Amino acid sequence: MEKIRELSIDLETYSDVNISKCGAYKYAESDQFEILRFGVSINGGPVQIYNLACGDTVPDEILAALSDESITKWAFNASFEPICLSNWLKRHRPEYFYGYSIPEDPASKYLDPSSWKCSMIWSAYLGLPLSLAGAGAVLGLEEQKLTEGKDLIRYFCVPCKPTKANGGRTRNLPQHDSAKWIRFKEYNRRDVEVEMSIQKRLAKYPVPEQIWDEYHLDQEINDRGIALDMVMVENAILFDERSRADLTASMQDITGVDNPNSVAQMKQWLSDNGIETEFLGKKNVAKLIEDTDGKVEDALRLRLQLAKSSVKKYQAMQNAVCKDGRAHGMFQFYDANRSGRWAGRLIQLQNLPQNHMKDLAEVREIVKSGDYDTMELLYEDIPDALSQLIRTAFVARYGYKFIVSDFSAIEARVLAFLADEKWRSKVFAEGKDIYCASASQMFGVPVEKHGINNHLRQKGKIAELALGYGGSIGALKSMGALDMGLTEDDLQPLVDAWRMSNPFITKFWWDIDRAVKTTITRRVQTEVRGIKFMYKSGMLFIKLPSGRLLSYVKPKIEENKFGGESVTYEGIGATKKWERIESYGPKFVENIVQAVSRDILCYAMRILSHCFIVGHVHDELIIECSPGVDLNVVYQQMGRSPDWMPDILLRADGYETFFYKKDD
């Protein structure tokens, strides 16, 4: 066998665990997990298929290469292969398994990700689809993923339903359909070939090493996982069941309907009681409560409590928790290819309900002890309490604590810096409240959070949240401006006041718009305040201060619905399909600001990579550490300005806790 420098790998596997619900880590640690086929190309050569399900063995040289840091391993969605191979090697060929990090680190149970590279991440970096079939189709590859792959996977890779026709078996083996098994071999081979073709097609657009370093750090965080308090999780699910039963019974008593959860039945009951409504969503019900009383109000309040969906998060924890009591694989690197931000997986740390209860620790202990009667006695709205407790199910392991550190107003700081809106940067330098300062700038009077003109702070806040990326009246409404006491007549003056008080940001939007259009139409490089725009081989690239590129596929200038000109490009749109997407200056600014904010978080993650980072959310890091680690040192390190943007004013704050929460 020739000396191995590089492997391209694709595995076909079986497990009784549902990978979409439970994740790859729980899938691969199952006692029933096995590798059926091992497809591999050595140094770009022909693909070899090792049929492990029928007794083939993988050569020792290839097994040794899996733990050899000098040999690059490629796969599409490469996080899957090392997870599977880690478990398989430890079980079948432990002499070839070498973990990484220190024994105290839960990540040490897996193969070192530093020698793995992922063509899906390469695809995402260039704004292409995050599926092998999608990327191959957009790139127009001759080798295409076989379309019957899903059927073959459904047949061989997951349990089957026992029937009379299949003799009551719960799994399909190669001998049950030899023709499909032969086709499955070709599917395995084709996946490796398509993955290699993607690499060749993208070779002139290499991924910078810094992105691979970030990817490897991401894999380490996923390998490490985060501990869950499963006693609390199980009790929360039981509490929710009892609470829902009680609430349903109360609603039946009030309304007399058989199923109070039925929208049709509840709408009829409301109609019978003089209330006509099209919808019974949370916002609609909350508004109806304001205009009702008596038994109608009581029934609507009960419906609002039943609408709390906290139990789904607890069930997601139940699904995801692995044998070590931790949830692994909760972060998808580079999922948002317009900014490069992460997306959440499984439990979705990015969209957990906030907590505002003052006695959070006490109510948490009540749930953990299983004392439902006390819970019912002390808390009128049990679903709301359980919802606020979701974060607290993430815990530091025994003998450790969490340090949670986050950036203060990171996007607002980045936007002010990039646009050179000096008054805003001065506010940040002096540590003042940006909402008060914005209101003061807009209305020309002093505004203090708990003092003079305090009533204007809310207008400053809603304007800050809604208007930084070209938003207007619609953005204010979607941010809840009308629910905050503003009237329709207040909205346009608010938009005008914000834009007049932020002239450099407003100018920045349209400078970016012109630069993008000039680059696309004239095929020349343009630059706005250090942000560079380039066109190459049918791609628009935006070069950020970090050196990272944002990629837009096949950009064009087209007429928009208003009769003006807009930029369009190909990408995954709101429909989750590959389509043409319309954009303009403020939207590109949003992409740029979120991307730079993401790069600043990555810089902090790399500075603190010697710590056990277990989670992160946009502007926040969760670190699991020994009790002696100094909180102040962590957030001072996190607040360091990156060398590629040394003059930006960053501020990080932090707190210590034994369970995750949102600190007020």
Side-chain angles (χ1 to χ4, degrees), residues 430-445:
E430 294 172 354
K432 293 181 178 177
D433 183 292
I434 186 61
Y435 302 144
C436 288
S438 184
S440 179
Q441 190 81 0
M442 288 160 66
F443 303 113
V445 295

Side-chain angles (χ1 to χ4, degrees), residues 329-428:
M330 286 177 53
F331 307 97
Q332 174 62 58
F333 186 73
Y334 231 99
D335 188 77
N337 55 17
R338 246 92 73 200
S339 66
R341 280 180 162 178
W342 281 262
R345 291 291 179 265
L346 302 174
I347 307 168
Q348 298 281 0
L349 197 68
Q350 282 82 348
N351 64 357
L352 300 180
Q354 291 196 0
N355 52 265
H356 304 288
M357 303 171 74
K358 299 299 182 187
D359 54 349
L360 199 65
E362 290 82 356
V363 68
R364 186 181 185 282
E365 284 305 311
I366 292 171
V367 174
K368 190 167 180 181
S369 69
D371 189 353
Y372 185 82
D373 292 337
T374 298
M375 186 79 169
E376 192 175 36
L377 182 68
L378 296 178
Y379 300 94
E380 184 179 346
D381 192 341
I382 291 177
D384 181 64
L386 293 176
S387 180
Q388 293 197 49
L389 285 176
I390 289 171
R391 291 173 185 269
T392 74
F394 294 104
V395 293
R397 60 189 151 130
Y398 181 76
Y400 286 73
K401 67 180 179 183
F402 282 154
I403 285 180
V404 182
S405 185
D406 68 339
F407 290 114
S408 170
I410 183 64
E411 284 192 34
R413 289 170 186 265
V414 170
L415 179 58
F417 180 85
L418 293 177
D420 198 29
E421 197 69 73
K422 288 187 168 59
W423 73 263
R424 298 172 72 89
S425 296
K426 187 170 183 285
V427 169
F428 295 129

Side-chain angles (χ1 to χ4, degrees), residues 133 145 186 198 235 297 314 340 378 393-394 431 505 614 617 644:
K145 188 178 176 77
E186 290 311 305
I198 289 173
N235 282 342
E297 180 187 356
Y314 290 117
L378 296 178
F394 294 104
I505 289 175
V614 295
V617 184
W644 40 264

Side-chain angles (χ1 to χ4, degrees), residues 353-639:
Q354 291 196 0
N355 52 265
H356 304 288
M357 303 171 74
K358 299 299 182 187
D359 54 349
L360 199 65
E362 290 82 356
V363 68
R364 186 181 185 282
E365 284 305 311
I366 292 171
V367 174
K368 190 167 180 181
S369 69
D371 189 353
Y372 185 82
D373 292 337
T374 298
M375 186 79 169
E376 192 175 36
L377 182 68
L378 296 178
Y379 300 94
E380 184 179 346
D381 192 341
I382 291 177
D384 181 64
L386 293 176
S387 180
Q388 293 197 49
L389 285 176
I390 289 171
R391 291 173 185 269
T392 74
F394 294 104
V395 293
R397 60 189 151 130
Y398 181 76
Y400 286 73
K401 67 180 179 183
F402 282 154
I403 285 180
V404 182
S405 185
D406 68 339
F407 290 114
S408 170
I410 183 64
E411 284 192 34
R413 289 170 186 265
V414 170
L415 179 58
F417 180 85
L418 293 177
D420 198 29
E421 197 69 73
K422 288 187 168 59
W423 73 263
R424 298 172 72 89
S425 296
K426 187 170 183 285
V427 169
F428 295 129
E430 294 172 354
K432 293 181 178 177
D433 183 292
I434 186 61
Y435 302 144
C436 288
S438 184
S440 179
Q441 190 81 0
M442 288 160 66
F443 303 113
V445 295
V447 179
E448 296 177 7
K449 189 171 184 179
H450 300 294
I452 188 168
N453 295 316
N454 175 54
H455 65 286
L456 293 176
R457 182 179 184 273
Q458 193 68 3
K459 291 187 176 182
K461 180 175 182 178
I462 194 71
E464 283 296 308
L465 295 174
L467 305 179
Y469 302 126
S472 188
I473 291 173
L476 287 169
K477 286 182 177 179
S478 66
M479 282 284 182
L482 298 179
D483 298 329
M484 294 179 179
L486 297 177
T487 67
E488 290 274 0
D489 291 340
D490 291 329
L491 301 186
Q492 189 59 54
L494 199 59
V495 173
D496 296 339
W498 192 91
R499 292 184 180 180
M500 285 181 66
S501 63
N502 290 278
F504 288 93
I505 289 175
T506 305
K507 181 176 183 293
F508 187 54
W509 298 338
W510 305 116
D511 287 348
I512 294 288
D513 191 76
R514 279 189 293 275
V516 169
K517 288 175 178 174
T518 300
T519 293
I520 293 170
T521 54
R522 295 174 53 194
R523 307 292 199 259
V524 295
Q525 179 174 315
T526 58
E527 183 173 340
V528 178
R529 295 198 49 76
I531 309 293
K532 295 176 182 171
F533 304 86
M534 299 161 285
Y535 185 96
K536 180 181 177 183
S537 303
M539 302 275 284
L540 169 70
F541 294 107
I542 301 178
K543 189 171 186 179
L544 304 172
S546 65
R548 186 165 68 95
L549 299 178
L550 301 184
S551 308
Y552 299 83
V553 179
K554 298 179 182 176
K556 291 196 288 190
I557 309 296
E558 297 186 302
E559 184 176 324
N560 60 32
K561 59 185 177 183
F562 303 109
E565 287 187 337
S566 288
V567 177
T568 67
Y569 59 91
E570 292 184 5
I572 302 294
T575 62
K576 304 296 182 185
K577 295 178 180 177
W578 189 258
E579 59 189 10
R580 288 209 77 80
I581 298 168
E582 185 179 321
S583 195
Y584 66 120
K587 191 67 181 173
F588 282 112
V589 169
E590 181 178 20
N591 294 168
I592 291 164
V593 170
Q594 290 185 349
V596 172
S597 301
R598 173 258 186 219
D599 290 349
I600 289 170
L601 182 71
C602 278
Y603 181 79
M605 289 167 71
R606 292 171 76 175
I607 287 175
L608 293 166
S609 61
H610 60 284
C611 301
F612 292 161
I613 300 173
V614 295
H616 50 89
V617 184
H618 291 332
D619 60 355
E620 176 183 83
L621 292 181
I622 309 168
I623 294 169
E624 189 176 59
C625 54
S626 59
V629 175
D630 189 333
L631 166 66
N632 293 314
V633 171
V634 169
Y635 69 70
Q636 284 168 11
Q637 290 295 306
M638 186 170 174

